Amino acid sequence: MVAKGKKASADAVYAKKTSKSVNPFDNSTAQSSKRGNPFDVHVNKEKFKILGRICKHDRGMPGVSRAKALQKRAQTLGQQFAVKHKTNRFRDNRIGKHLSGDQLTESVMNARYLAEKMSQVRSNQKAEKFNLNDDELLTHRGQTLEEIEQYRDERSDDEELDDEALDADFTAAAHFGGEGDSAQDRQAAIDEMIVEQKRRKNEIAKEKDEVFDLTEKLDANYKLLLPLVAKATKDEQDAKPPPDAYDKLLKEMIFEPRGSVADKLINPDELAKQEAARLEKLENERLRRMRADGEEEEEASIAKPKHRSADDLDDGYFLAGEGDEGDDTLAYDLDGNLGTHLNGKKEAEAKGKENEDDDDEEGEEEEEEDSDEESDSEVDNLSDLKESESESEPEEAPKPSKKKAKKSADTIPASLDTSIPFTIKMPKTYEDFTELLSKHATAQKATIIERIIKCNHPKLEGVNRENVVKLYSFLLQYLKDLFEDASEQDIREHFQLLSKLMPHLYELTQLNPERMSNTLLEVIKEKYGEFRKNHKMYPSLDFLVYFKLVANLYSTSDFRHPVVTPCFIFMQHVLSRSRVRTRQEISMGLFLVTVLLEFVSQSKRLVPAIFNFLQGIVHMSIPKRDVEQLEITPPFERDGPLSKLLALPANTESTKLEPQKLQPADLVTQTITPDFKVRALDTSLLLIKEALQLVEEHVGACYLAQPFLRLLSRLPLDSYPEHVHQHHKEATELAEKLAAQKMKPLAPAEKKPKALRLLEPRFEAVYDDKRRPKMSKAKEERAKLLHKIKREKKGAIREIRRDTAFVQTLRLKQTLQSDKERHEKVKRIYQEASVQQGELNELARAKKKKKF
């Protein structure tokens, strides 16, 4: 029993052991999702292990990376390939698609229609090339024109044409025999029709009479009700309470006139600051042009083409600048004259310029002025830009003397301008222009020119652009004719006319600066060509007047100017080359010196011709023995009769002469008189003083003043009046002061101090790798950059190759899918065809059986 029991327990244990699975992998745990496949891991081995270097690519998973790349390509390239050549959305590409319904004007609709028509032409260009038919379908409010144009005749209710027409019954009876059994003859049918028509007309007339009667009755009843309605309305108004104080105030405020918006009041301090800022801006602009700063930027801006609209008609190309647009409004002044400015500012400025020219031209232009006073006033008188004249004129307002006022009152009567018409047409030829001016006095000529300019202003009509240029040419030619044949009697009157015409010439120049400047420049070139043929003779008086004209019309302080610079050089050539032998040539030379000093009064440039000519005048005023010679520069002579042309004899009594400036007659007179010698020397002394004051700040002022000291010390003053002694003393003191100045020694330009070297550590990368040679830092950086570029290029090529393979795979799948669908369709067609053929064969066999 014991053995049997042990055997049973042993069998049970063995059975328990044998019940387990024989598979050794059944007890292994399932692989978790986070744990990767070890066969997908690729290990990158390194040849050398370097301490401190972290390798980021020692292990990689190519399968995972490849799957991510495929998924990314499927989301990008795959989506693009799927929608290629497909339109899956509607896009509104019409013109004005962002405009609302109210903003869609007829021009927008026309533009849409034109764009649609052009797109149709481009798309069907080949098909429609020889199509002569217009197949376009025009619509209006959703209906075609064929549907609208039905030529319907809408008639009013008063017309009874439909009733008067023959009805269907009558037509059937009269023309086709009718359908009744009892046939009527034709005459009876016509009579019946006439009776029926008369009956209808009577009914219509009766209805109209009834409607008219009812209307008259309604109007009468309404007239009876009107008094009751008006009375009730009046009672309601009377029942309203009287307006209180609030209602009265409200009505007063409603009907009270409203005041216009005014500018903010500015206290005197702010006004002074604004004026100072404006003057500073104008001065900075003048200095910038004088030093020629920023010329390159200006030339670049001028060379750069400005935007011009396709509709631009060039209506304003002649304007001088944008800042003058607001002042060019045409209007009538208080006297009824046609003006060009509403505020009268420029009219007042023109009058101020005219007064200044009257004062300055009589003293200075009449005779090449020389004094300080003349030069300063002329500089401010129309010599700079249009902006600066408005600031300088109030400061140096002209103060006419009593003598001049009396003279102007005598020469210009009050009733003189009444004979001049207010509107004057532009003369067609120069002969007509001179004939027009010859009929009037000097004061009236300026008025005529002013009215011609206003009546032919370019803003009035486009043709006037050429008219103002023609008028400018006529004025230049007229001045040439006046001064070319001037005599001692009329030279003063010509200078007075020039001073009155100066504001109008300036206004013409501002209307079209480019054309006017070119016109004047052509005249200057022509005169310079004549001067070069005989450079030892002074030009005629008319051309010297042109120099004065340039000084008043253009900015003479600019570093470089297209008109002023050629005149500047021309005058220096005349002073340094032309001989001085007569009274006229001396006067012309002093006139040119005065104009040149006016040119350089602001820029303070050094003009050697001025100093040379003034030294020559003083040299000719010194009496010399025949064997005595003083050093002087040509064109003046060291000896001979011309070397003492202005010297006063010892027995001449001229000490009692009053101070006088050079007279206009000196410009046309050849004979030299003692009083002219005194006036010429006095004028030269004043000009010497002014010239030395201009170069007082120059480095070499001492060398410019020393020659004057040598000549002034030899000048005998016993025969000259007291005012010459005073001017000689002032010029000598200034020359001695400048001659005593010492020149500064030359010194190298100051350099910026070199900064000390900073004591900061400089780290340099050290490469001990034997595979690469040692290179500098810049070369090392370049080598790194080239290496990165090479790697990135290889990577980009590799990605492009993989993208191409991915796209080719998609194309292959698409091709296989389409082939599969095509094979299935062909197979289905064959199947259907075989079934159909079987049915046909069955029918054929059935027919054969019937025959037999």
Side-chain angles (χ1 to χ4, degrees):
M1 293 294 294
V2 177
K4 186 176 180 180
K6 290 182 178 181
K7 185 179 179 180
S9 58
D11 292 340
V13 172
Y14 180 76
K16 187 177 180 180
K17 290 181 178 181
T18 55
S19 63
K20 295 180 180 181
S21 177
V22 228
N23 190 356
F25 296 99
D26 287 345
N27 295 332
S28 61
T29 58
Q31 184 179 4
S32 62
S33 59
K34 295 182 181 180
R35 190 175 174 186
N37 189 358
F39 293 101
D40 292 340
V41 178
H42 179 73
V43 179
N44 298 322
K45 296 182 179 180
E46 295 183 358
K47 294 183 178 181
F48 306 100
K49 290 184 178 181
I50 302 174
L51 297 177
R53 176 181 291 183
I54 300 176
C55 185
K56 299 180 181 179
H57 308 288
D58 56 345
R59 292 175 180 272
M61 302 182 70
V64 177
S65 301
R66 190 179 299 108
K68 289 182 179 180
L70 290 175
Q71 183 180 3
K72 187 175 181 180
R73 288 188 176 88
Q75 295 175 356
T76 55
L77 292 176
Q79 296 294 333
Q80 295 178 7
F81 185 79
V83 299
K84 187 178 181 181
H85 303 305
K86 295 182 180 180
T87 303
N88 55 356
R89 68 178 64 182
F90 292 97
R91 294 181 180 179
D92 189 1
N93 294 327
R94 297 178 301 172
I95 299 175
K97 60 183 179 181
H98 300 296
L99 301 177
S100 59
D102 299 337
Q103 297 174 345
L104 289 176
T105 59
E106 185 177 358
S107 60
V108 178
M109 302 303 295
N110 293 338
R112 285 185 178 180
Y113 173 75
L114 183 60
E116 182 65 23
K117 191 68 178 177
M118 292 302 296
S119 63
Q120 292 178 3
V121 170
R122 285 193 295 268
S123 59
N124 302 328
Q125 186 175 5
K126 294 183 179 180
E128 301 292 338
K129 188 173 182 180
F130 302 101
N131 186 13
L132 302 179
N133 299 323
D134 190 4
D135 299 334
E136 62 181 2
L137 186 62
L138 302 178
T139 61
H140 178 67
R141 295 185 178 274
Q143 298 180 351
T144 61
L145 297 182
E146 296 177 357
E147 297 175 357
I148 296 175
E149 296 178 356
Q150 295 179 356
Y151 304 101
R152 293 176 295 182
D153 190 5
E154 302 291 345
R155 300 184 179 274
S156 62
D157 298 337
D158 296 338
E159 297 181 359
E160 300 87 11
L161 296 179
D162 295 341
D163 297 336
E164 296 177 1
L166 300 177
D167 55 359
D169 298 337
F170 175 80
T171 304
H175 299 284
F176 302 102
E179 297 178 357
D181 298 336
S182 58
Q184 298 180 355
D185 57 348
R186 182 177 181 83
Q187 186 65 31
I190 293 175
D191 294 341
E192 184 180 354
M193 181 189 68
I194 293 173
V195 172
E196 183 67 20
Q197 291 296 332
K198 290 182 178 181
R199 184 185 65 79
R200 290 184 179 180
K201 287 184 178 180
N202 291 333
E203 290 179 356
I204 292 172
K206 185 178 180 180
E207 289 179 0
K208 288 184 178 180
D209 293 340
E210 291 178 357
V211 171
F212 181 76
D213 294 340
L214 292 175
T215 304
E216 292 291 336
K217 184 178 180 181
L218 183 61
D219 293 341
N221 294 336
Y222 179 71
K223 291 179 180 179
L224 295 175
L225 291 175
L226 279 179
L228 300 177
V229 175
K231 184 178 181 181
T233 306
K234 188 175 182 181
D235 294 341
E236 291 177 1
Q237 293 178 355
D238 296 340
K240 288 184 179 180
D244 54 3
Y246 176 78
D247 296 336
K248 294 181 180 180
L249 182 61
L250 180 61
K251 289 184 179 181
E252 290 178 0
M253 294 177 64
I254 291 176
F255 295 103
E256 183 180 6
R258 300 180 180 180
S260 59
V261 180
D263 295 335
K264 179 183 177 182
L265 296 178
I266 303 176
N267 54 33
D269 296 340
E270 294 180 357
L271 189 62
K273 290 181 181 179
Q274 292 181 3
E275 183 66 16
R278 186 181 69 86
L279 295 178
E280 184 180 358
K281 180 181 178 182
L282 294 176
E283 179 64 17
N284 293 337
E285 180 67 16
R286 187 189 66 80
L287 294 176
R288 183 188 66 80
R289 290 185 288 104
M290 184 176 68
R291 295 191 297 264
D293 293 342
E295 272 194 343
E296 293 78 2
E297 291 78 357
E298 285 190 11
E299 293 176 358
S301 62
I302 293 174
K304 183 179 180 181
K306 296 182 178 179
H307 171 71
R308 295 176 62 190
S309 172
D311 302 329
D312 189 7
L313 300 178
D314 288 339
D315 292 337
Y317 80 98
F318 53 84
L319 295 180
E322 299 178 356
D324 299 338
E325 294 179 2
D327 296 332
D328 290 340
T329 305
L330 293 175
Y332 287 91
D333 55 12
L334 297 178
D335 300 333
N337 300 330
L338 183 62
T340 56
H341 311 287
L342 289 177
N343 54 7
K345 178 180 179 181
K346 289 192 179 179
E347 297 293 339
E349 290 179 359
K351 292 179 181 178
K353 295 168 194 169
E354 182 176 344
N355 293 336
E356 285 184 4
D357 282 337
D358 290 342
D359 294 338
D360 294 336
E361 297 298 343
E362 285 187 10
E364 175 172 354
E365 295 217 347
E366 302 171 29
E367 248 18 81
E368 60 291 330
E369 279 26 328
D370 41 279
S371 62
D372 246 0
E373 186 178 321
E374 140 217 87
S375 185
D376 292 340
S377 62
E378 286 298 326
V379 168
D380 292 330
N381 179 22
L382 300 174
S383 63
D384 214 333
L385 294 182
K386 203 170 185 179
E387 295 177 313
S388 61
E389 72 177 7
S390 60
E391 73 179 60
S392 61
E393 287 180 3
E395 296 176 1
E396 300 183 8
K399 299 180 180 179
S401 62
K402 296 181 180 179
K403 180 180 178 181
K404 184 175 178 181
K406 182 178 179 181
K407 178 181 177 181
S408 61
D410 295 336
T411 57
I412 305 176
S415 61
L416 198 60
D417 294 338
T418 57
S419 61
I420 304 175
F422 287 97
T423 57
I424 304 176
K425 293 184 179 180
M426 177 63 197
K428 295 183 179 180
T429 60
Y430 177 70
E431 289 74 14
D432 298 340
F433 179 74
T434 54
E435 183 180 358
L436 176 63
L437 294 182
S438 62
K439 299 177 182 179
H440 301 276
T442 302
Q444 291 178 324
K445 292 178 182 179
T447 306
I448 292 174
I449 298 301
E450 179 183 3
R451 293 181 181 177
I452 290 177
I453 294 174
K454 292 178 179 179
C455 295
N456 295 273
H457 198 277
K459 281 187 173 294
L460 297 176
E461 192 176 354
V463 185
N464 294 337
R465 300 173 187 169
E466 298 297 331
N467 288 342
V468 293
V469 179
K470 185 190 298 184
L471 177 61
Y472 189 79
S473 302
F474 287 171
L475 287 175
L476 294 180
Q477 183 64 28
Y478 185 70
L479 292 176
K480 176 182 180 298
D481 296 343
L482 285 180
F483 287 95
E484 190 175 21
D485 302 328
S487 61
E488 297 183 12
Q489 292 76 19
D490 55 4
I491 184 66
R492 180 179 294 273
E493 183 181 353
H494 294 343
F495 273 109
Q496 291 176 356
L497 177 61
L498 176 63
S499 66
K500 294 180 181 298
L501 293 179
M502 196 68 69
H504 307 309
L505 289 169
Y506 180 78
E507 185 178 357
L508 287 173
T509 305
Q510 295 302 318
L511 290 178
N512 194 344
E514 184 177 357
R515 295 286 300 278
M516 307 302 182
S517 301
N518 291 337
T519 303
L520 183 56
L521 194 59
E522 290 297 328
V523 177
I524 295 172
K525 290 180 180 179
E526 180 182 354
K527 290 293 182 179
Y528 186 71
E530 297 176 0
F531 172 75
R532 292 185 62 182
K533 295 178 182 178
N534 189 5
H535 60 82
K536 294 184 180 182
M537 298 293 295
Y538 269 82
S540 57
L541 179 59
D542 59 297
F543 195 65
L544 300 183
V545 173
Y546 287 156
F547 290 144
K548 186 63 182 177
L549 193 66
V550 171
N552 286 348
L553 297 184
Y554 299 99
S555 174
T556 57
S557 62
D558 292 358
F559 183 79
R560 188 180 295 107
H561 195 279
V563 179
V564 176
T565 303
C567 294
F568 190 80
I569 299 173
F570 192 179
M571 287 187 287
Q572 294 187 67
H573 288 182
V574 173
L575 290 177
S576 58
R577 297 180 182 180
S578 301
R579 292 179 179 179
V580 181
R581 296 172 294 182
T582 61
R583 176 179 176 178
Q584 182 184 16
E585 293 173 348
I586 295 173
S587 302
M588 288 183 175
L590 292 176
F591 181 87
L592 290 180
V593 170
T594 305
V595 177
L596 273 175
L597 289 176
E598 183 180 343
F599 272 48
V600 299
S601 60
Q602 296 292 333
S603 59
K604 296 184 179 180
R605 299 182 188 175
L606 177 62
V607 185
I610 294 178
F611 295 89
N612 184 39
F613 187 84
L614 293 177
Q615 291 173 18
I617 297 297
V618 177
H619 177 267
M620 288 192 298
S621 301
I622 300 174
K624 295 176 282 294
R625 298 189 302 272
D626 296 338
V627 295
E628 186 179 5
Q629 293 183 358
L630 293 178
E631 293 296 333
I632 194 66
T633 309
F636 299 95
E637 298 181 1
R638 292 183 297 175
D639 53 3
L642 296 179
S643 64
K644 46 185 177 180
L645 192 61
L646 296 178
L648 283 176
N651 55 357
T652 304
E653 292 293 335
S654 56
T655 56
K656 298 181 181 181
L657 293 177
E658 296 181 358
Q660 289 184 354
K661 297 180 180 179
L662 293 179
Q663 303 299 323
D666 296 337
L667 293 172
V668 293
T669 307
Q670 303 293 334
T671 306
I672 299 178
T673 59
D675 59 337
F676 173 74
K677 295 180 180 180
V678 174
R679 284 188 278 112
L681 179 60
D682 187 32
T683 302
S684 301
L685 293 175
L686 293 174
L687 291 176
I688 289 172
K689 179 182 176 183
E690 184 178 353
L692 292 178
Q693 287 176 348
L694 289 178
V695 298
E696 191 173 2
E697 299 178 358
H698 280 246
V699 178
C702 58
Y703 293 103
L704 297 174
Q706 287 175 0
F708 287 106
L709 284 177
R710 179 173 51 85
L711 295 174
L712 292 175
S713 61
R714 296 288 304 273
L715 189 65
L717 300 177
D718 299 336
S719 302
Y720 291 93
E722 186 63 28
H723 64 276
V724 178
H725 291 212
Q726 181 65 24
H727 294 161
H728 179 272
K729 181 180 178 182
E730 294 176 358
T732 304
E733 291 177 354
L734 182 58
E736 291 176 352
K737 176 184 174 183
L738 296 181
Q741 292 181 357
K742 295 183 179 180
M743 296 184 63
K744 297 179 181 180
L746 293 177
E750 296 182 356
K751 295 183 180 180
K752 186 178 180 181
K754 188 177 181 180
L756 296 177
R757 298 180 62 182
L758 300 179
L759 303 177
E760 293 182 0
R762 181 171 57 187
F763 297 97
E764 295 182 358
V766 179
Y767 301 98
D768 294 335
D769 194 356
K770 296 181 180 180
R771 294 176 299 175
R772 293 180 298 176
K774 292 183 179 181
M775 294 184 293
S776 62
K777 185 177 181 181
K779 292 184 178 180
E780 185 67 27
E781 292 294 334
R782 176 175 174 80
K784 289 182 179 180
L785 183 60
L786 293 175
H787 182 64
K788 288 182 179 180
I789 292 174
K790 184 178 180 181
R791 289 173 54 189
E792 293 296 332
K793 184 177 180 181
K794 291 176 62 177
I797 294 174
R798 181 172 58 253
E799 292 298 325
I800 292 174
R801 189 184 299 114
R802 291 176 181 176
D803 292 343
T804 305
F806 178 78
V807 173
Q808 293 298 335
T809 304
L810 294 179
R811 288 180 179 175
L812 180 60
K813 289 182 180 180
Q814 187 178 14
T815 304
L816 294 177
Q817 181 67 20
S818 62
D819 291 345
K820 183 178 179 181
E821 294 177 357
R822 182 171 55 80
H823 286 310
E824 290 179 356
K825 290 180 181 179
V826 171
K827 186 177 180 181
R828 185 168 58 253
I829 290 172
Y830 274 117
Q831 183 180 1
E832 293 176 356
S834 62
V835 172
Q836 184 178 3
Q837 187 65 31
E839 293 177 353
L840 291 175
N841 295 338
E842 184 67 25
L843 290 175
R845 286 194 296 270
K847 288 181 180 180
K848 290 181 180 180
K849 289 181 181 180
K850 288 180 181 180
K851 290 181 180 181
F852 297 103

